[in-house]
Amino acid sequence: MSRTFIFILLMLLPLASRSQTVEVEGIVYEIDVARGEAKLVNVTSHDLVEYSIQEAVEYGGRKYPVTAIGYRAFDYLNYATSITIPNSVVTIEDEAFGMCSYLTSVTISNSLKSIGNRAFYACFDLTSLSLPESLESIGVEAFGGCYNLESLTIPRNVVNIGIPLFDYHHRKLSSIGVSPENSKYDSRGGCNALIETGTNTLLAGCCNTVVPNTVTTIAQYAFYGLEGLKSLSLPNSVTRIEDYAFYVTSDLTDVRFPDSLKFIGDYAFALSMLKAIKLPNSLRHIGDSAFYYNGCWFVINKVEAPLTLPKSMDYMGKGAFAQWC
């Protein structure tokens, strides 16, 4: 046996022992020996109603704290109604609890810092969730499909929120709180929510949104697909409405544009239900298909008043008013 082969073999031995798996009460944990921590990676007992995650697991006479719940770890556990997450957990990865449709109770770690993309997607029976003050990041559509979620509070330390936080049909979301100290809130909210922002960009929408007069931009996909939003009056601080901002807002019939508005992006109001629009004289840009198929998606409406384009217009996109009934 050559010296080179022996050397390579000796180098690979530490890597082989770096990761180990341990199963405790139907839950599989992956242990990172080098880092001294464990991650919950899979569930083998699929018929349990309640799951209690270990705070630490033992291997080789040593205990390893469970710091993460891995990608799709609890995916499609249709019988689970209650899950308890210990204080050792700081990360919930993407889709960790996706499609746990009967999940009604989740006790979350007080040390949690990150919730991944679609982490609780389609947890239909989840009505409320208490997020810890330690939380710093929430992924895209983390609560998408949680159609029975009635309230949610975004903690003050959260600085990164995925867009959108929810998806379609969140009619039961009656309130979403944003800590007064939180100036980074940047995702879709719920009904009756006053959205505050320190970044001068509104990235949130809800049934009865009051847009603060500090907001200058309605961001891409801000109100995308939101049901229940029937009318909206934008403050004079708003100068831009970005692409797809109100795309497929199927209940939206009236928007009052501010005199300060200069830019409406591509598909900004496409497939909404606007009956009439009055464009301000300040407007310079209307994007491609900006008002495409308005009033025609579910019922046929007619424009209540002649459409007059402002003299300030510099650009008119292709099909901006196509298929307006």
Side-chain angles (χ1 to χ4, degrees):
M1 186 180 292
S2 69
R3 291 183 179 180
T4 302
F5 179 78
I6 294 173
F7 176 76
I8 293 173
L9 182 62
L10 290 174
M11 290 294 290
L12 290 175
L13 283 175
L15 295 177
S17 60
R18 178 184 177 91
S19 178
Q20 301 291 334
T21 57
V22 174
E23 184 172 338
V24 181
E25 299 179 352
I27 299 178
V28 180
Y29 302 88
E30 184 180 85
I31 297 172
D32 190 323
V33 177
R35 298 182 64 176
E37 59 190 33
K39 177 197 292 190
L40 191 160
V41 293
N42 195 13
V43 176
T44 58
S45 297
H46 292 177
D47 56 351
L48 297 180
V49 174
E50 297 182 0
Y51 289 86
S52 184
I53 299 169
Q54 299 290 316
E55 189 159 359
V57 291
E58 188 172 342
Y59 174 77
R62 178 183 173 186
K63 287 189 175 181
Y64 296 84
V66 178
T67 60
I69 299 174
Y71 172 68
R72 289 190 171 181
F74 286 88
D75 195 33
Y76 280 94
L77 286 184
N78 291 328
Y79 293 100
T81 61
S82 175
I83 295 176
T84 301
I85 302 172
N87 289 332
S88 58
V89 173
V90 296
T91 302
I92 297 176
E93 294 185 1
D94 296 353
E95 301 180 36
F97 299 98
M99 300 301 295
C100 291
S101 56
Y102 292 101
L103 189 62
T104 59
S105 173
V106 180
T107 303
I108 294 185
S109 159
N110 288 327
S111 305
L112 188 67
K113 292 185 177 181
S114 174
I115 296 177
N117 299 333
R118 299 165 69 90
F120 292 91
Y121 191 83
C123 291
F124 301 129
D125 287 351
L126 196 61
T127 58
S128 65
L129 195 64
S130 179
L131 302 179
E133 289 297 319
S134 58
L135 194 62
E136 298 175 356
S137 176
I138 304 176
V140 174
E141 288 190 347
F143 308 104
C146 296
Y147 301 145
N148 289 304
L149 192 63
E150 297 176 356
S151 63
L152 189 70
T153 298
I154 307 299
R156 61 185 176 183
N157 293 318
V158 174
V159 294
N160 296 304
I161 302 180
I163 303 172
L165 183 57
F166 304 101
D167 63 356
Y168 301 111
H169 314 309
H170 280 80
R171 289 184 179 275
K172 288 194 175 182
L173 191 62
S174 59
S175 66
I176 182 165
V178 182
S179 233
E181 297 90 347
N182 190 329
S183 63
K184 301 283 187 180
Y185 182 72
D186 65 352
S187 187
R188 194 180 315 171
C191 301
N192 306 315
L194 174 63
I195 307 304
E196 299 287 358
T197 173
T199 59
N200 289 332
T201 301
L202 185 71
L203 301 175
C206 64
C207 302
N208 297 299
T209 300
V210 177
V211 181
N213 58 14
T214 56
V215 173
T216 60
T217 303
I218 309 296
Q220 288 185 355
Y221 298 98
F223 293 82
Y224 169 64
L226 191 67
E227 292 185 349
L229 180 66
K230 296 180 179 180
S231 65
L232 188 66
S233 181
L234 298 174
N236 285 328
S237 56
V238 173
T239 61
R240 294 179 65 89
I241 298 175
E242 299 289 357
D243 300 347
Y244 295 92
F246 294 89
Y247 185 60
V248 200
T249 46
S250 57
D251 293 323
L252 185 62
T253 59
D254 177 54
V255 173
R256 298 184 181 182
F257 297 107
D259 293 335
S260 55
L261 187 64
K262 296 180 180 179
F263 181 96
I264 296 177
D266 297 346
Y267 290 88
F269 293 90
L271 296 177
S272 62
M273 295 286 289
L274 296 182
K275 294 180 179 179
I277 62 171
K278 183 179 180 180
L279 300 174
N281 291 328
S282 57
L283 192 62
R284 294 183 177 180
H285 179 107
I286 298 178
D288 296 348
S289 301
F291 296 91
Y292 171 76
Y293 227 65
N294 260 261
C296 300
W297 193 23
F298 292 122
V299 297
I300 296 177
N301 294 307
K302 292 195 179 291
V303 179
E304 295 177 351
L307 180 62
T308 302
L309 295 178
K311 295 180 180 180
S312 58
M313 288 287 299
D314 294 329
Y315 178 82
M316 171 72 75
K318 295 179 181 179
F321 297 93
Q323 298 293 329
W324 189 301
C325 293

